[in-house]
Amino acid sequence: MAPARNPLRTCAVGTVSAALVAGAVVGLAPSAQAAPAVRFVDIPGDGGTVLKANVVTPAGSGSHPLLVLPTSWGFPQAEYLAQAQKLADSGYVVLSYNVRGFWQSGGEIEVAGPPDLADASKVIDWALANTPADASRIGMAGVSYGAGISLLAAAHDKRVRAVAALSGWADLIGSIYSGRTQHVQAGALLDGAGLVTGRESPELRKIFDNFYSSDLSQEQKLIDWGERRSPATYLDRLNADKPAVMLANAWSDSVFPANQYASFYEKLTGPKRLQLRPGDHATPELTGLFGLPNDVWKDTGRWFDHYLRGVDNGVDREQPVQLESRTGGGYEGYPDWKSVAATDRKIALAGSTTIRANVDSGADGGIVLLSGLLDQVTKLPPMASIPLLPRRWAAVWQSERYAAPQRVRGTARLHTTLTPTAESGTFVAYLYDVGPLGIGKLVTHAPLTWHGRTPGQPFGVDLDLFSTAYDVPAGHRLALVADTVDPLYIEHNPSGARLTFSSPQDDPSYVSVPLREQ
């Protein structure tokens, strides 16, 4: 017996689908051309689970390359209709499907687990049997959840020859549990969207509950669960089959930070491209979902045109690493990720500073999704008055004023010696661009948590801050701030804990700032 439809969910499906379809119409209206026909279908996925899908087929006879687009977390099957119609106009069969567990598709949310990968292969099977798709020219693409599933599917199904993974993940644990710290706002965002738009599996519910509870006895299970769902785990398969992989992300992505994509990109050996732009999670691609001009989707089309349709559009001859600074200035091309930074400048963190835990000093990384979007649109990242930060709860070091602009590119690294008063704890490091009035604009940050340390015993800390591209104006300083509370993260400092940052003579503390060639 079929389950009863949830009327609120059904209404929401209709509303969002109508909005996206309207976006597609708006996007195509200026050209006054007839849109390719959209066919809504049911596809049997793994175990017979019904997957709701739509197919857009180009006009003309003969076979065409196939693009499969799994939906984002919490989005309905109409998500990609605007782009699907544009891609079909270019000669692709485009099949978008609602991943299992969400909206009107069957099953439960498996978070890119084995059933999701089997679904992707079943969808390809269906397309080859029911559309004029060419089995030798298959690509996959998606935003966020769809990006992760596309990469994983390419690692498990050799038929996938090209991928465009937009705002996705390569390392799931390195994204939501970096520095052994729960990214609680990101987790709650995913959890809430899953509860509203889908059906969480019992395994996923337990993962979320253990994630929030900070149960260390379950930590290894969380790591193992995440590794099975991380494309980086299957890097050897991708490098053996060599599908053409395009990775695109935002500098301020508060769900899947840019670091994990950059690290993954460096280890790929097949055709590859890395694009990093201003914005937060999935915001660089957003306008393209409504059919509006969008650089990410334009480059996605060029990527598939070359690797699936054989178009000599030059995408393979361009510098494969394309970056846009958060402060403007257009795109910059580099031959590889390590070439992004020409040099490193160290800022000494001299002296010994003790801070108290459990109070937010006023330095923080912002709000999930919103802060990076604001930075993208207005170039206003999270800010703090550096002179007014209470030194009781925040450690602060500053550079000299720079006579020339400092073009920060890549991954800043903190090296220090830390002495805690408790065996567990957390601190967050922030790098600020400080203007003449002392107002600091956040350049980058990262959290770090430790467990099982001997109270009063110093230990060395090496922490990579989240990768970024940011131009510090002449006359400004850089400031490194450390405190213990940030709304983005769960902190593990017991009440009354203190942290002492020191710089031993034989092992001085510093933050190393990567700079492009001046």
Side-chain angles (χ1 to χ4, degrees):
M1 180 176 177
R5 294 288 185 193
N6 182 319
L8 289 177
R9 179 175 292 160
T10 303
C11 178
V13 170
T15 301
V16 176
S17 299
L20 288 168
V21 171
V25 173
V26 170
L28 292 173
S31 63
Q33 63 187 30
V38 180
R39 183 160 54 110
F40 291 88
V41 299
D42 290 352
I43 297 177
D46 185 49
T49 297
V50 174
L51 305 174
K52 296 293 182 177
N54 57 70
V55 184
V56 188
T57 304
S61 59
S63 63
H64 304 274
L66 169 67
L67 293 181
V68 175
L69 311 179
T71 52
S72 302
W73 185 276
F75 275 65
Q77 60 168 307
E79 176 184 8
Y80 301 116
L81 273 179
Q83 288 302 321
Q85 291 178 338
K86 288 186 175 183
L87 289 164
D89 279 339
S90 298
Y92 297 94
V93 173
V94 186
L95 192 159
S96 175
Y97 71 97
N98 224 135
V99 291
R100 66 169 53 225
F102 284 103
W103 295 97
Q104 295 170 313
S105 284
E108 297 175 324
I109 303 171
E110 301 287 347
V111 194
D116 290 302
L117 305 188
D119 285 346
S121 291
K122 293 283 189 181
V123 167
I124 292 173
D125 292 342
W126 186 94
L128 294 177
N130 294 276
T131 73
D134 183 343
S136 67
R137 297 184 291 166
I138 298 174
M140 290 189 67
V143 176
S144 186
Y145 194 36
I149 290 177
S150 294
L151 279 174
L152 286 162
H156 288 80
D157 192 326
K158 295 182 179 182
R159 295 175 296 179
V160 179
R161 302 312 308 150
V163 175
L166 317 178
S167 292
W169 76 91
D171 181 349
L172 190 55
I173 294 302
S175 296
I176 63 172
Y177 193 57
S178 71
R180 293 187 78 182
T181 308
Q182 297 99 319
H183 295 213
V184 67
Q185 284 191 18
L189 176 72
L190 297 173
D191 188 8
L195 289 170
V196 171
T197 64
R199 299 164 299 281
E200 294 181 349
S201 67
E203 180 188 37
L204 177 57
R205 185 65 262 155
K206 189 172 183 180
I207 287 291
F208 274 126
D209 291 343
N210 290 336
F211 180 80
Y212 298 137
S213 69
S214 305
D215 185 353
L216 287 179
S217 69
Q218 300 298 312
E219 182 182 39
Q220 191 57 51
K221 290 182 180 178
L222 172 67
I223 292 171
D224 293 343
W225 175 87
E227 286 182 347
R228 289 193 297 270
R229 290 160 169 81
S230 295
T233 301
Y234 310 100
L235 187 67
D236 57 339
R237 299 186 188 183
L238 289 166
N239 286 339
D241 296 336
K242 291 184 168 36
V245 176
M246 172 180 153
L247 306 171
N249 206 351
W251 290 119
S252 303
D253 194 315
S254 49
V255 180
F256 302 130
N259 292 47
Q260 45 93 35
Y261 249 13
S263 176
F264 179 67
Y265 170 84
E266 280 291 86
K267 297 171 185 174
L268 287 169
T269 59
K272 59 183 180 177
R273 184 179 179 94
L274 175 66
Q275 300 186 173
L276 295 169
R277 300 173 170 88
D280 208 311
H281 182 62
T283 62
E285 301 89 9
L286 186 60
T287 57
L289 295 179
F290 293 93
L292 300 174
N294 182 278
D295 285 351
V296 187
W297 285 104
K298 178 182 177 182
D299 289 338
T300 296
R302 294 176 65 231
W303 188 253
F304 287 131
D305 283 348
H306 180 75
Y307 286 102
L308 295 182
R309 293 178 58 227
V311 177
D312 185 13
N313 56 17
V315 72
D316 57 321
R317 296 188 295 274
E318 296 171 358
Q319 297 277 40
V321 176
Q322 294 285 323
L323 312 181
E324 183 182 3
S325 171
R326 289 165 46 208
T327 45
Y331 289 99
E332 304 164 2
Y334 300 88
D336 48 41
W337 175 249
K338 64 178 178 290
S339 300
V340 169
T343 186
D344 290 318
R345 170 170 285 183
K346 290 183 178 179
I347 301 172
L349 310 180
S352 180
T353 302
T354 298
I355 61 173
R356 292 163 174 79
N358 313 121
V359 174
D360 189 343
S361 70
D364 65 60
I367 301 171
V368 67
L369 283 185
L370 298 180
S371 294
L373 177 60
L374 184 64
D375 186 32
Q376 175 186 351
V377 175
T378 68
K379 297 188 174 16
L380 288 176
M383 294 186 287
S385 174
I386 303 305
L388 297 181
L389 290 176
R391 273 29 177 197
R392 181 183 182 90
W393 295 296
V396 180
W397 300 266
Q398 295 191 74
S399 72
E400 76 282 2
R401 284 193 177 90
Y402 296 115
Q406 305 295 295
R407 307 190 191 284
V408 180
R409 299 290 186 276
T411 307
R413 294 178 171 87
L414 169 65
H415 174 76
T416 190
T417 297
L418 178 63
T419 306
T421 60
E423 66 173 16
S424 294
T426 300
F427 80 87
V428 184
Y430 309 88
L431 188 66
Y432 283 99
D433 160 24
V434 185
L437 299 179
I439 301 300
K441 294 182 177 180
L442 187 64
V443 177
T444 182
H445 77 287
L448 180 72
T449 293
W450 61 92
H451 299 287
R453 291 289 178 178
T454 302
Q457 186 72 32
F459 63 93
V461 168
D462 288 288
L463 176 63
D464 284 358
L465 307 189
F466 298 137
S467 303
T468 196
Y470 183 100
D471 297 336
V472 179
H476 286 212
R477 307 172 185 265
L478 282 170
L480 192 284
V481 176
D483 74 0
T484 63
V485 176
D486 190 307
L488 286 172
Y489 310 109
I490 291 178
E491 56 113 349
H492 297 264
N493 300 292
S495 180
R498 299 186 184 192
L499 308 180
T500 297
F501 298 88
S502 58
S503 183
Q505 188 172 359
D506 60 346
D507 186 20
S509 296
Y510 60 85
V511 59
S512 178
V513 181
L515 303 174
R516 74 170 280 197
E517 189 172 352
Q518 301 299 304

